[in-house]
Amino acid sequence: MRTPDRRIVLGLHRSRHERRQLIAALDLGITGIDTAFNYHRFTSHTSLANVGRGLLDRFTISTKVGFFPGHDQAEHSLAPASLLEALEQTNRDLGRAPDLVFLHNPERSLREAAPDLARDTLAQACAAMEEAKVRGLCRAWGASAWHPSPLLHAIDPTVPKPAVLMIRCGLFVGFHALKDAASLAERWSDHTTQLWGMSPFGGNANNPVWSRFDARVFLRNWPDHLTQMQAAFRTAFHLPHVNTVAVGTDDPTHLRDLVDVLSCEVDEQAVVQYRNLLHHKAQPQPA
Ligand SMILES: NC(=O)c1ccc[n+]([C@@H]2O[C@H](COP(=O)([O-])OP(=O)(O)OC[C@H]3O[C@@H](n4cnc5c(N)ncnc54)[C@H](OP(=O)(O)O)[C@@H]3O)[C@@H](O)[C@H]2O)c1
């Protein structure tokens, strides 16, 4: 068993929720799992408690609340009562308190709200998360945002700061998304807030783009056998700069590849040049 490495969190968004996946993670020193109230058709917590019997205490568990069962599809809400109820159920289903709970894509309930209402809604949701922490329903809370832009105007300086901010990372994140993520981190973090990245392959490692582009250009001294996905994963820690990345895989060989590439060094200069290229491309071009 390897020494625990907190830089990788095993994300369960697309996972089959199998015990062998949890055992493989522990063997590789991965002790963080990230799930959500709505993952696995709203059964992720009970499935995890079931397949992870006897193992779960060895993991740090993060989860998310914000999506609730609806008629045809999941509905989003930041209503404090709904968030707290979901957290009570999460505790029952997991059989323990999660270590971290994210507000799940809070922007979904804010994007069409007037600025005052958006500020109020976010403030009340954060107050509910603080209450959850005091009641022992979670050890800490954070916020996970896919499109940070609608959140930017809802953050009042008096709103409490999340312990962790989770944002998209990797080579599929464009200039505007990187800029919004930086603005979000500037407005809604303090010196204790950690920045996590998510979805380093944009959710699809089979995208044909990966065979047309060599992500190894972002690494220094990479070994011959290094795969394209390994290089893209290592680079994702720098686009934007994040401490930890939540990545999904059901394949223990893939997971080992991800752990192995952590020891490779990223060429910061190549990343800066790439960011400059994104910046240039985002500027209005002369007709
Ligand atoms: N709004 C949110 O809060 C939000 C949204 C999206 C994601 N997330 C978090 O981020 C986690 C990861 O996101 P994601 O699952 O959408 O996308 P992802 O991690 O970008 O991509 C997952 C895909 O990559 C493949 N893969 C992983 N490692 C590989 C490797 N070494 N070689 C080849 N293929 C590899 C996996 O296939 P195999 O199974 O075949 O390896 C899987 O299909 C989620 O589980 C969740 O925790 C959060």
Side-chain angles (χ1 to χ4, degrees), residues 10-14 34-35 39 64 104-105 144-146 166 198-205 227 229-230 246-251 254-255 257-258:
L10 182 61
L12 302 187
H13 182 24
R14 297 162 206 283
D34 182 65
T35 185
Y39 285 1
K64 315 183 195 73
H104 199 172
N105 295 6
S144 157
W146 191 259
M166 182 148 78
M198 62 181 158
S199 214
F201 306 126
N204 182 8
T227 68
M229 304 320 290
Q230 283 180 295
V247 58
T249 177
D250 275 331
D251 183 334
H254 286 169
L255 198 55
D257 284 349
L258 301 178

Side-chain angles (χ1 to χ4, degrees), residues 239-254:
L239 288 168
H241 282 277
V242 289
N243 316 98
T244 294
V245 172
V247 58
T249 177
D250 275 331
D251 183 334
T253 312
H254 286 169

